[in-house]
C-alpha cells in the first residue's frame, strides 16, 4: 500500500515519518515512535486507554487515523510532566489510590488533565460525566473521582496563591 | 552507635509495616506511562501473529486454502492443525484434565475458535492475510443450551471422545457429559427435606459472563536457536505453571525456558488459562527463528478466552417452621463449553462450589454437579473469586431469600438465626470444609445498624403503600448478602494444578547496607504486591518497607510458585513471606547474640532490633546485623543473610462479610438507582487499609456489572451477541455507585500473620446484594426468582409480568 508523508509534533518534539493512509494514530505512537504510555484496550473507542490530546482536545487514538494527525500537536501521558517528575494530577492519583493495574491510568490522567482545563472547578458529578469515556476495571472510579477533585483544588489553590 | 533517640513509635512508623495505608510504589511508574505491559515489548525482528477464527459455532472444516495469504508480501507463515500435528501440538491438555484443539482439527466447536495462525511482518499485513485464508465450512447443528445437552438426540459435539466412557473425573453418562461431581450425603439430605416443616425450591441461574480485564491476553515468544533458550513474555497469572506446561508440551527442558509476566493490566481470572495463542506463538518463533507477538483484540478476548460462571443451580432448602434450616440440596448443570478448560485445582472439577452451605449452620447437605459440553467457548475461570465461590454464594443467598418468602419471615432475621455461631469455630461444614474463624453475628449487627435496617423496612412498607395508592412509580429494594469465602488454595494434600501442589514461595536477600530484595512465586495484576508484601516483611524483619524491593513474575529469578488467582497471594505467598522473614530473624538473632556477647536466649525482638533482656541500652539493629553478616567472621554462622520459604498452608482461609444494597427501581422504565451500598469485610489481619478499600470498590463494581447488565450472550445458532464493549457491559464512572466500606477483624488462626485475603470478597458478596435488592423491591408483589443480569429490559419485564403496568 502506498505511503504518505506525515508531520506532527508529539510531546513538543517534531516528528516526520511515512505511514500507510489506514494506519491508526495509536499504532504510530506505540510502534513507530515508541511512546507506549497510551494503551490499546478495545480498538472501538469505548475504553479510553488510548486517550491522547490532539490540538487541545481529548481523542481516542485507536480511532484516529495517523493521517488525521498531520500537522497536529499531540500530547500523551509522557508529555504531561518532565521525565521522573509527577505533576499535581499524577500525585493525586497516587495519593488517593486512583489506580491499581495501571493499564487505564495513562489515558485516564490524560483525559483528566484536559477535563480540568475545560472545567477547572468541577463537581463530583461533572467529573463522573466528564470521565465517562474512560473505563477502569479495577478501582470502581470512586478514588479516581476523589483524586481529580483533589488535584483541582490543589491547582486552584496554587493559582490563587500566584495571583 | 547505639543511638536510642528515635522512640519506639517513631521506629515503628518508619517501617511502614502491617496496618499502614502505605502509598503504592507501583504508582510512580504507572502514573507516568512507564508501565511495561506485554504489548509494550518490542524485540528486533519481531513478527506479529493472529488467528483466522471460525464464524460458526459448530461446523466441519472441508478445506483450508492458504495460498492467497502466503502470496501476500510480508506474510511469513500460516499455520494450521496439519502443521502442528507432526509436533503433537494440534491438541493440548487443559487444566481440567480434558484436551483442547490448538487449531481446528477437522471441525470447529464454538464461534471464534482458532482455525489458522497467520504470522506476518506487522499487524496490518496480518489482518489482510487473515482475510485471504479461505476456509470451507459445513454447518452442523448447534447446542447452546446446557439444559438440553444431555437429551438423547442432542448433537454429538466431541467426536474425539467417542467410546470414552469415563473422563478425568469419573464416568460419563452421555456423549455431551463431562463429569458428575458429588459431595455430601444425598440420601440423608433427601430424607430431612422430605420430612421438613417447610421446603423452598428454586432454580437459580448464574449467567455466563467474562472477566474482561482492560488489557487483553497476549505474549511474545522468542526462541534463541543459538543457545536453545525459549523466552516467553506474557499475560500470565501463573508464570511458573506456564513454564512447566510449555516444557511438557514442547519437549524443551525446563531450564531452557524463561517465562516472564511483565506488568499485567488486570487479570480477574482471564489470565490463568493456557491458550492456543501462546502455543502458536512458541511454535511460530521456533519455525521462523524470530520473536513472535500475539495480542488478542477485544472481540477475540470476549469470544475465545476464559468465560466465567454459566451454572444452572437447582436448589431445595428445608427448615423448621420457626426458621431453623435443616437441610440443603443442590444440583448444578454446568455449561463448560466445547472443551473442559476450567481452571480449578485438579481434584475439584466444580471448584469450591461445595462452600454453598454459606455462612449457615446446616446439618446435612448434598451437592451434585454435572459438567456438560456445549457449542460455546471453553474457559470456566474464577472471575474475581476463588474457584466457583461466587456461584456458591449467589446460590445460597438466593435460597435464603426464597426460604424467607416461604416462611413469611424477614430475611435478615432468617440469616441471624442460622449463622454459624462464634463459639462453633473451627466449624466443620456438612460438605467437608473446616471454616477457620468467624464472628458473623457481630458483623451482621454492625451492618444492619449502619444502614438503619429497621428504618429501611419501614420506609419500604410506606413506599409500597404509596405505590398502591398511585402516588409513586418507584419501588425500594433492600438487598441483603452475607457471604463466606474459601480462598488461599491450598494445602498440597488436596490442592494441585496439573499435579503441582498449590504452595507458594518467598526468597529474601538482605543487602550489606540493610536494604533488601524479596522475590515471590506470585504476580500482581493491580493488587499492589510490591507495596504490601514489603509491608509484611517490614514488620517481620525490621527493615523499612521503603528499603525492600519486591520482584515477581520472572521464572529465572523468582522461586517456584503457583501464581495469583483465587485470592491466594496473601494467604499463601504472604505467609511464605512472613515465614522467610522469621528465618532471617532467627539467623539475625544468632549474629546479634555474638555481637553483644550474650546467649541468644537473652535477646528479645523489638521492632527493628534485638535488645538484651533487661538492658534496653544494649541492642543491635537489623541494619547493623546485616552489615556484620557480610563483614565479620561469626563462628558457626555462614556469611550473608538470606532465606527462602515454601509455604504449604495447613488450611484455606475463610474471609466473610456483610453487604447491603439499597436500590430505587422505576417500575415503568426498569431504570435503577443505587441509593446506598454498604460493604463490611472481615479479611482477618489488615495489611494495607487503603488497598483493601480500593479492592472492595473495584470488586463491588465488577459485581454491579455482573448483576445489573454484564453478560456473555449467545443466540440459538451460537453467535456471540456481546462481543464488543458496545454490548458487553462495563460500567463507566457515570453509572457506577459510590460505596461505604467498613470492617471487622477476625484473624485467621493458622496464617502466620492472621491475614485471609480480600481481593475477591466484594464480587462474591456484591452480586447477591445487588440481585437481592432487585428481588426485594418486587417481593411485596409476589416475585420469587428472576435471573440476572437485571438490565432495564429484564426489570421492566418483571414489573410487566407482575401486572404492575396496569
Amino acid at each position: 500500500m502506498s505511503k504518505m508523508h506525515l508531520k506532527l509534533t508529539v510531546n513538543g518534539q517534531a516528528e516526520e515519518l511515512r505511514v500507510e493512509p489506514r494506519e491508526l494514530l495509536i499504532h504510530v505512537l506505540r510502534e513507530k515512535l515508541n511512546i507506549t504510555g497510551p494503551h490499546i484496550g478495545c480498538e472501538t473507542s469505548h475504553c479510553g486507554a488510548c486517550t491522547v490530546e490532539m490540538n487541545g482536545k481529548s481523542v481516542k487514538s485507536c480511532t484516529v487515523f495517523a493521517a488525521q494527525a498531520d500537522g497536529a500537536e499531540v500530547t500523551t501521558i509522557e508529555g504531561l510532566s518532565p521525565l521522573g517528575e509527577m505533576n499535581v494530577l499524577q500525585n493525586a492519583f497516587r495519593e488517593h489510590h486512583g489506580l491499581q493495574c495501571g493499564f487505564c491510568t495513562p489515558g485516564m490522567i490524560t483525559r483528566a488533565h484536559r477535563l480540568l482545563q475545560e472545567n477547572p472547578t468541577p463537581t463530583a458529578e461533572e467529573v463522573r460525566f466528564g470521565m465517562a469515556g474512560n473505563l477502569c476495571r479495577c478501582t470502581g472510579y470512586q478514588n479516581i473521582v476523589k483524586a481529580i477533585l483533589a488535584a483541582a483544588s490543589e491547582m486552584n489553590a496554587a493559582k490563587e496563591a500566584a495571583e | 552507635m547505639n543511638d536510642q533517640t528515635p522512640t519506639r513509635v517513631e521506629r515503628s512508623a518508619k517501617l511502614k509495616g502491617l496496618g499502614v495505608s502505605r502509598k503504592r510504589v507501583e504508582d510512580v511508574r504507572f502514573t507516568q506511562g512507564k508501565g511495561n505491559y506485554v504489548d509494550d515489548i518490542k524485540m528486533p525482528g519481531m513478527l506479529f501473529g493472529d488467528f483466522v477464527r471460525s464464524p460458526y459455532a459448530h461446523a466441519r472444516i472441508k478445506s483450508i486454502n492458504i495460498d492467497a495469504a502466503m502470496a501476500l508480501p510480508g506474510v511469513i507463515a500460516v499455520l494450521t492443525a496439519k502443521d502442528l500435528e507432526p509436533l503433537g501440538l494440534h491438541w493440548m491438555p487443559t487444566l481440567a484434565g480434558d484436551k483442547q484443539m490448538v487449531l481446528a482439527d477437522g471441525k470447529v466447536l464454538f464461534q471464534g475458535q482458532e482455525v489458522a495462525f497467520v504470522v506476518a511482518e506487522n499487524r496490518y499485513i496480518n489482518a489482510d492475510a487473515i482475510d485471504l485464508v479461505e476456509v470451507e465450512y459445513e454447518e452442523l447443528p448447534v447446542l447452546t443450551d446446557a439444559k438440553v445437552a444431555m437429551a438423547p438426540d442432542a448433537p454429538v459435539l466431541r467426536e474425539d471422545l467417542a467410546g470414552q466412557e469415563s473422563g478425568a473425573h469419573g464416568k460419563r453418562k452421555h456423549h455431551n457429559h463431562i463429569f458428575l461431581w458429588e459431595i455430601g450425603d444425598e440420601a440423608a439430605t433427601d430424607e430431612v427435606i422430605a420430612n421438613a416443616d417447610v421446603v423452598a425450591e428454586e432454580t437459580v441461574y448464574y449467567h455466563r459472563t467474562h472477566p474482561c480485564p482492560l488489557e487483553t491476553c497476549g505474549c511474545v515468544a522468542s526462541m534463541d536457536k543459538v543457545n536453545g533458550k525459549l523466552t516467553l513474555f506474557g499475560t500470565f497469572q501463573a508464570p511458573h505453571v506456564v513454564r512447566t506446561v510449555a516444557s511438557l508440551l514442547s519437549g524443551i527442558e525446563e531450564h531452557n525456558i524463561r517465562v516472564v509476566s511483565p506488568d499485567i493490566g488486570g487479570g480477574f481470572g482471564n489470565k490463568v488459562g493456557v491458550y492456543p495463542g501462546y502455543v502458536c506463538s512458541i511454535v511460530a518463533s521456533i519455525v521462523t527463528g524470530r520473536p513472535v507477538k500475539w495480542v488478542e483484540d477485544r472481540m477475540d478476548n470476549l469470544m475465545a478466552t476464559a468465560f466465567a460462571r454459566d451454572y444452572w443451580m437447582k436448589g431445595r432448602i428445608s427448615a423448621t417452621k420457626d426458621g431453623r434450616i435443616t437441610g440443603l440440596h443442590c444440583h448444578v448443570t454446568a455449561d463448560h463449553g466445547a472443551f473442559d478448560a476450567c481452571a480449578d485445582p485438579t481434584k475439584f472439577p466444580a471448584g469450591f462450589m461445595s462452600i454453598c452451605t454459606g455462612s449457615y449452620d446446616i446439618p446435612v447437605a448434598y451437592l451434585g454437579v454435572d459438567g456438560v459440553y456445549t457449542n460455546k467457548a471453553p474457559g470456566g475461570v474464577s472471575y474475581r473469586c476463588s474457584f466457583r465461590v461466587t456461584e456458591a454464594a449467589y446460590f445460597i443467598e438466593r435460597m435464603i431469600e426464597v426460604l424467607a418468602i416461604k416462611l413469611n419471615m424477614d430475611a435478615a432475621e432468617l440469616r441471624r438465626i442460622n449463622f454459624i455461631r462464634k463459639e462453633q469455630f473451627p466449624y466443620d461444614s456438612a460438605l467437608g470444609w473446616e471454616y477457620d474463624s468467624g464472628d458473623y453475628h457481630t458483623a451482621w449487627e454492625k451492618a444492619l445498624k449502619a444502614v438503619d435496617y429497621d428504618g429501611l423496612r419501614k420506609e419500604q412498607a410506606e413506599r409500597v403503600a404509596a405505590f398502591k395508592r398511585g402516588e409513586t412509580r418507584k419501588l425500594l429494594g433492600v438487598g441483603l448478602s452475607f457471604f463466606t469465602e474459601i480462598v488461599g488454595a491450598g494445602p498440597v494434600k488436596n490442592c494441585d494444578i496439573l499435579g503441582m501442589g498449590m504452595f507458594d514461595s518467598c526468597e529474601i536477600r538482605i543487602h550489606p547496607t540493610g536494604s533488601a530484595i524479596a522475590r515471590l512465586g506470585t504476580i500482581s495484576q493491580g493488587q499492589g504486591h510490591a507495596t504490601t508484601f514489603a509491608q509484611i516483611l517490614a514488620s517481620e524483619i525490621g527493615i523499612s518497607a521503603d528499603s525492600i524491593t519486591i520482584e515477581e513474575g520472572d521464572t529465572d529469578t523468582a522461586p517456584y510458585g503457583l501464581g495469583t488467582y483465587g485470592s491466594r497471594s496473601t494467604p499463601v505467598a504472604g505467609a511464605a513471606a512472613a515465614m522467610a522473614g522469621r528465618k532471617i530473624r532467627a539467623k539475625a538473632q544468632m549474629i546479634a547474640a555474638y555481637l553483644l556477647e550474650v546467649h541468644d536466649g537473652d535477646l528479645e525482638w523489638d521492632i527493628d532490633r534485638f535488645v538484651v533482656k533487661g538492658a534496653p541500652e544494649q541492642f543491635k539493629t537489623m541494619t547493623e546485623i546485616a552489615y556484620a553478616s557480610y563483614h565479620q567472621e561469626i563462628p558457626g554462622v555462614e556469611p550473608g543473610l538470606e532465606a527462602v520459604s515454601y509455604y504449604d498452608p495447613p488450611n484455606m482461609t475463610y474471609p466473610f462479610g456483610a453487604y447491603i444494597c439499597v436500590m430505587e427501581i422505576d417500575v415503568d422504565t426498569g431504570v435503577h438507582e443505587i441509593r446506598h451500598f454498604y460493604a463490611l469485610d472481615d479479611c482477618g489481619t489488615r495489611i494495607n487499609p487503603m488497598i483493601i478499600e480500593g479492592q472492595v470498590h473495584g470488586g463491588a463494581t465488577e459485581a454491579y456489572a455482573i448483576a445489573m447488565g454484564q453478560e456473555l450472550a449467545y443466540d440459538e445458532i451460537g453467535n456471540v451477541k456481546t462481543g464488543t464493549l458496545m454490548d458487553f457491559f462495563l460500567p463507566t464512572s457515570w453509572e457506577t455507585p459510590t460505596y461505604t466500606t467498613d470492617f471487622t477483624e477476625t484473624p485467621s488462626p493458622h496464617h502466620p500473620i492472621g491475614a485471609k485475603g480480600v481481593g475477591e470478597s466484594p464480587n462474591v458478596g456484591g452480586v447477591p446484594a445487588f440481585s437481592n435488592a432487585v428481588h426485594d423491591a418486587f417481593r411485596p408483589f409476589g416475585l420469587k426468582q428472576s435471573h440476572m443480569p437485571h438490565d432495564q429490559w429484564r426489570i421492566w419485564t418483571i414489573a410487566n409480568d407482575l401486572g404492575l403496568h396496569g
Side-chain angles (χ1 to χ4, degrees):
Chain A
M1 197 172 281
S2 65
K3 293 201 172 180
M4 56 176 290
H5 191 186
L6 180 70
K7 270 171 112 167
L8 72 170
T9 307
V10 182
N11 299 330
Q13 184 155 337
E15 303 283 0
E16 222 177 315
L17 62 166
R18 281 162 59 75
V19 300
E20 290 181 28
R22 62 177 177 171
E23 270 182 72
L24 298 171
L25 180 57
I26 186 70
H27 293 143
V28 170
L29 290 172
R30 290 178 50 80
E31 290 168 12
K32 296 204 161 141
L33 300 175
N34 295 318
I35 292 171
T36 54
H39 297 136
I40 301 173
C42 69
E43 294 171 294
T44 51
S45 24
H46 289 96
C47 82
C50 63
T51 302
V52 301
E53 280 194 22
M54 192 164 104
N55 296 331
K57 281 189 176 157
S58 297
V59 298
K60 291 177 175 174
S61 59
C62 76
T63 31
V64 172
F65 288 117
Q68 290 172 282
D70 194 27
E73 291 260 1
V74 173
T75 307
T76 71
I77 184 77
E78 288 91 341
L80 293 188
S81 63
L83 189 64
E85 284 178 34
M86 286 157 77
N87 68 17
V88 173
L89 202 46
Q90 287 162 329
N91 260 319
F93 267 69
R94 181 172 193 234
E95 192 61 31
H96 297 281
H97 192 28
L99 65 148
Q100 290 180 27
C101 80
F103 198 77
C104 76
T105 309
M108 197 65 83
I109 291 179
T110 309
R111 171 59 200 144
H113 171 79
R114 178 50 46 189
L115 177 70
L116 294 183
Q117 318 269 313
E118 293 162 1
N119 178 1
T121 53
T123 62
E125 196 173 44
E126 285 167 343
V127 169
R128 284 188 178 268
F129 190 78
M131 295 301 297
N134 289 68
L135 296 176
C136 171
R137 294 286 291 138
C138 299
T139 65
Y141 306 103
Q142 196 158 326
N143 289 340
I144 291 178
V145 175
K146 214 160 128 188
I148 295 171
L149 291 172
S153 327
E154 196 182 329
M155 287 170 178
N156 292 332
K159 210 156 60 183
E160 265 176 45
E163 284 162 7
Chain B
M1 201 71 183
N2 283 8
D3 176 14
Q4 291 183 74
T5 327
T7 64
R8 294 190 78 248
V9 173
E10 284 166 339
R11 285 194 276 127
S12 184
K14 197 172 155 240
L15 289 186
K16 300 189 185 172
L18 290 182
V20 175
S21 284
R22 181 180 183 225
K23 303 303 169 203
R24 300 199 332 160
V25 296
E26 296 90 339
D27 295 356
V28 176
R29 282 186 300 127
F30 291 156
T31 57
Q32 297 182 76
K34 294 294 176 196
N36 181 36
Y37 302 88
V38 71
D39 198 23
D40 299 339
I41 293 167
K42 207 171 170 180
M43 298 179 82
M46 189 173 77
L47 300 170
F48 198 89
D50 203 357
F51 287 106
V52 175
R53 293 178 182 274
S54 170
Y56 297 108
H58 196 194
R60 210 166 294 289
I61 294 183
K62 308 278 281 183
S63 67
I64 302 176
N65 185 342
I66 65 167
D67 295 347
M70 283 303 291
L72 188 71
V75 174
I76 309 296
V78 180
L79 302 177
T80 65
K82 249 187 3 213
D83 303 301
L84 299 183
E85 193 173 356
L87 308 166
L89 289 175
H90 55 321
W91 287 72
M92 65 178 182
T94 69
L95 296 179
D98 193 3
K99 55 182 180 161
Q100 173 179 353
M101 291 180 205
V102 174
L103 290 171
D105 183 21
K107 69 189 279 196
V108 287
L109 287 157
F110 65 94
Q111 188 182 52
Q113 188 177 334
E114 301 82 357
V115 174
F117 190 68
V118 174
V119 185
E121 293 286 352
N122 67 45
R123 63 170 81 228
Y124 288 85
I125 297 171
N126 201 303
D128 291 340
I130 285 171
D131 285 346
L132 294 172
V133 175
E134 295 161 20
V135 186
E136 197 186 341
Y137 298 95
E138 177 190 313
E139 286 182 72
L140 295 168
V142 172
L143 176 62
T144 57
D145 185 345
K147 299 190 298 307
V148 301
M150 304 265 279
D153 58 347
V156 178
L157 306 189
R158 291 289 298 276
E159 288 161 1
D160 59 294
L161 298 178
Q164 286 193 25
E165 288 183 2
S166 56
H169 307 289
K171 259 186 97 58
R172 300 172 65 224
K173 311 187 266 209
H174 179 275
H175 54 261
N176 292 328
H177 188 234
I178 310 171
F179 61 81
L180 168 62
W181 189 60
E182 292 180 288
I183 300 267
D185 188 338
E186 186 170 27
T189 305
D190 282 341
E191 198 187 323
V192 163
I193 291 174
N195 297 314
D197 295 350
V198 179
V199 178
E201 281 189 59
E202 196 49 76
T203 297
V204 178
Y205 180 46
Y206 198 143
H207 58 290
R208 181 174 276 235
T209 181
H210 193 283
C212 197
L214 204 55
E215 177 200 38
T216 58
C217 298
C219 70
V220 177
S222 177
M223 185 71 205
D224 178 340
K225 289 199 168 176
V226 175
N227 295 309
K229 291 212 180 248
L230 171 70
T231 305
L232 184 64
F233 299 91
T235 48
F236 309 128
Q237 290 182 233
H240 285 95
V241 178
V242 169
R243 185 184 71 190
T244 302
V245 172
S247 174
L248 293 172
L249 285 180
S250 67
I252 301 170
E253 279 194 273
E254 204 166 347
H255 73 283
N256 279 329
I257 302 177
R258 176 182 171 218
V259 175
V260 182
S261 293
D263 289 324
I264 295 184
F268 317 123
N270 189 192
K271 294 162 181 173
V272 173
V274 174
Y275 300 122
Y278 305 150
V279 178
C280 289
S281 301
I282 293 171
V283 172
S285 180
I286 294 171
V287 170
T288 63
R290 291 167 66 177
V292 175
K293 178 188 277 187
W294 163 73
V295 177
E296 293 177 315
D297 70 17
R298 180 56 59 193
M299 195 179 266
D300 300 342
N301 178 251
L302 289 170
M303 284 200 310
T305 53
F307 81 89
R309 326 294 194 232
D310 217 345
Y311 261 33
W312 288 93
M313 304 177 284
K314 211 170 156 199
R316 284 181 285 143
I317 188 165
S318 61
T320 61
K321 56 184 181 308
D322 52 357
R324 285 286 316 179
I325 300 171
T326 54
L328 177 72
H329 188 287
C330 177
H331 178 267
V332 181
T333 300
D335 186 336
H336 284 223
F339 308 100
D340 185 13
C342 288
D344 292 313
T346 308
K347 297 184 190 74
F348 298 88
F352 304 150
M353 180 66 198
S354 48
I355 196 77
C356 66
T357 53
S359 316
Y360 311 103
D361 184 13
I362 302 180
V364 61
Y366 165 82
L367 167 70
V369 181
D370 274 305
V372 299
Y373 291 120
T374 61
N375 288 117
K376 299 187 198 167
V381 301
S382 311
Y383 170 7
R384 198 143 187 166
C385 64
S386 190
F387 313 100
R388 301 290 185 185
V389 172
T390 46
E391 287 91 326
Y394 185 61
F395 169 74
I396 185 66
E397 289 304 285
R398 283 301 309 140
M399 291 309 294
I400 290 285
E401 295 283 321
V402 171
L403 180 61
I405 293 171
K406 189 94 179 185
L407 288 161
N408 196 23
M409 194 182 219
D410 178 79
E413 177 61 14
L414 180 59
R415 285 178 173 84
R416 185 187 284 127
I417 63 176
N418 285 290
F419 280 143
I420 300 162
R421 295 185 313 280
K422 190 179 170 183
E423 63 274 16
Q424 287 177 283
F425 292 94
Y427 171 83
D428 290 315
S429 82
L431 294 179
W433 298 110
E434 186 193 303
Y435 292 29
D436 61 349
S437 63
D439 182 354
Y440 300 166
H441 286 97
T442 300
W444 196 228
E445 298 314 324
K446 191 174 183 186
L448 295 176
K449 200 168 158 216
V451 300
D452 183 20
Y453 181 69
D454 295 338
L456 283 171
R457 285 296 177 210
K458 207 168 142 236
E459 184 188 345
Q460 187 185 38
E462 284 161 8
R463 184 74 69 88
V464 169
F467 182 86
K468 286 179 176 166
R469 288 195 302 268
E471 291 165 14
T472 180
R473 297 299 289 163
K474 280 192 178 174
L475 297 176
L476 182 69
V478 182
L480 303 177
S481 164
F482 197 99
F483 62 94
T484 297
E485 282 187 284
I486 171 168
V487 306
V492 171
K493 64 174 186 272
N494 59 1
C495 288
D496 70 273
I497 284 186
L498 294 176
M500 280 161 297
M502 294 180 75
F503 58 84
D504 225 290
S505 57
C506 176
E507 178 195 283
I508 313 173
R509 293 182 189 176
I510 314 289
H511 306 314
T513 50
S515 65
I517 183 165
R519 298 187 170 100
L520 297 100
T522 43
I523 176 71
S524 184
Q525 306 125 38
Q527 297 90 336
H529 290 179
T531 305
T532 49
F533 283 143
Q535 291 181 256
I536 295 176
L537 285 170
S539 287
E540 291 292 340
I541 62 177
I543 292 176
S544 169
D546 289 344
S547 299
I548 303 172
T549 296
I550 299 292
E551 213 181 78
E552 301 176 301
D554 184 337
T555 59
D556 265 10
T557 56
Y560 205 103
L562 271 276
T564 294
Y565 43 86
S567 274
R568 64 185 301 284
S569 295
T570 296
V572 193
M579 297 311 272
R582 287 172 197 183
K583 287 183 185 176
I584 294 276
R585 220 161 75 187
K587 183 170 176 183
Q589 186 165 1
M590 290 196 282
I591 297 170
Y594 175 79
L595 297 175
L596 291 163
E597 299 179 9
V598 295
H599 188 271
D600 58 5
D602 294 332
L603 293 174
E604 61 189 359
W605 176 251
D606 182 38
I607 301 171
D608 58 353
R609 62 193 59 186
F610 278 103
V611 179
V612 177
K613 286 179 192 164
E617 71 289 353
Q618 289 190 59
F619 61 84
K620 287 288 170 192
T621 65
M622 191 51 108
T623 308
E624 292 168 320
I625 295 166
Y627 188 80
S629 76
Y630 285 92
H631 288 82
Q632 197 169 336
E633 187 197 354
I634 297 165
V637 179
E638 282 181 7
L641 197 49
E642 297 187 7
V644 58
S645 171
Y646 284 79
Y647 187 79
D648 179 8
N651 190 2
M652 311 282 188
T653 59
Y654 298 77
F656 59 93
Y659 284 17
I660 298 174
C661 172
V662 184
M663 189 186 288
E664 300 266 356
I665 288 178
D666 185 315
V667 167
D668 297 317
T669 60
V671 171
H672 69 268
E673 187 199 329
I674 310 295
R675 196 168 89 186
H676 188 197
F677 194 99
Y678 171 88
L680 179 149
D681 275 282
D682 192 319
C683 57
T685 303
R686 290 154 57 86
I687 299 166
N688 182 322
M690 176 192 82
I691 286 183
I692 291 172
E693 190 186 58
Q695 291 288 312
V696 174
H697 292 169
T701 302
E702 291 190 343
Y704 171 70
I706 294 167
M708 304 310 292
Q710 185 182 88
E711 176 184 23
L712 203 52
Y714 286 79
D715 70 9
E716 67 284 356
I717 56 166
N719 292 309
V720 179
K721 295 199 290 182
T722 53
T724 74
L725 299 188
M726 178 70 91
D727 306 300
F728 186 81
F729 176 50
L730 298 184
T732 72
S733 50
W734 184 244
E735 57 268 348
T736 298
T738 301
Y739 309 97
T740 306
T741 57
D742 203 347
F743 67 98
T744 56
E745 197 162 344
T746 312
S748 166
H750 61 79
H751 188 280
I753 61 165
K756 292 184 170 185
V758 76
E760 301 173 328
S761 319
N763 198 335
V764 173
V767 170
F770 287 111
S771 180
N772 282 345
V774 174
H775 285 91
D776 186 68
F778 292 103
R779 178 177 165 176
F781 302 92
L783 178 69
K784 204 171 134 212
Q785 173 64 22
S786 176
H787 299 317
M788 295 189 292
H790 307 295
D791 55 21
Q792 289 175 26
W793 177 74
R794 285 187 176 91
I795 291 180
W796 182 90
T797 305
I798 295 171
N800 202 52
D801 290 349
L802 293 172
L804 301 183
H805 291 150

